[in-house]
Amino acid sequence: QVQLVESGGGLVQPGGSLRLSCAASGSIFSINNMGWYRQAPGKQRELVANIISGGSTNYVDSVKGRFTISRDNAKNMVYLQMNSLKPEDTAVYYCNALIKINRYNTRAFWGQGTQVTVSS
């Protein structure tokens, strides 16, 4: 079985920074896309950023220039550096990965979520 475990959430003041980490473990053949989603109360879950195995990245417009996604393929980890945080960034952040679990099967996996609260 595969697990994604996030860490790094918390309470931060507007303008502050946080770094989220997500570690994938278990029966992993290879990892394709890795990404971060978020869900604020009363809103749908949205893609924040993703990164493919080759390193290309994609960001939602609202975080461009403030957030940076990166990955360490050797450690099966993905990170989200969040700078200049705003109250509207407050949400539960979820790690997502498209993982090849054997030669023939690829599945999407989710972490349990980590709360990010931006407030003074």
Side-chain angles (χ1 to χ4, degrees):
Q1 189 56 283
V2 172
Q3 280 191 319
L4 299 182
V5 179
E6 301 112 332
S7 60
L11 173 64
V12 64
Q13 292 186 341
S17 298
L18 282 175
R19 188 188 193 217
L20 304 183
S21 300
C22 173
S25 63
S27 181
I28 297 171
F29 188 80
S30 64
I31 302 179
N32 301 334
N33 293 0
M34 301 187 83
W36 292 93
Y37 287 71
R38 66 185 179 188
Q39 188 165 19
K43 294 188 176 181
Q44 288 189 329
R45 190 173 297 190
E46 66 168 353
L47 173 67
V48 177
N50 63 9
I51 181 168
I52 66 172
S53 57
S56 295
T57 58
N58 180 51
Y59 298 91
V60 67
D61 285 346
S62 60
V63 308
K64 285 180 180 177
R66 300 188 298 122
F67 291 12
T68 302
I69 189 170
S70 61
R71 64 189 283 176
D72 184 331
N73 292 328
K75 295 181 179 179
N76 290 336
M77 294 194 69
V78 63
Y79 308 95
L80 186 68
Q81 177 67 43
M82 305 185 293
N83 299 328
S84 303
L85 281 160
K86 304 175 181 180
E88 51 263 43
D89 295 317
T90 296
V92 178
Y93 283 70
Y94 296 91
C95 177
N96 171 270
L98 195 62
I99 296 176
K100 201 168 188 179
I101 56 176
N102 55 49
R103 188 174 296 183
Y104 307 106
N105 294 288
T106 300
R107 285 184 52 195
F109 293 88
W110 292 90
Q112 79 286 357
T114 185
Q115 177 70 46
V116 171
T117 302
V118 185
S119 175
S120 54

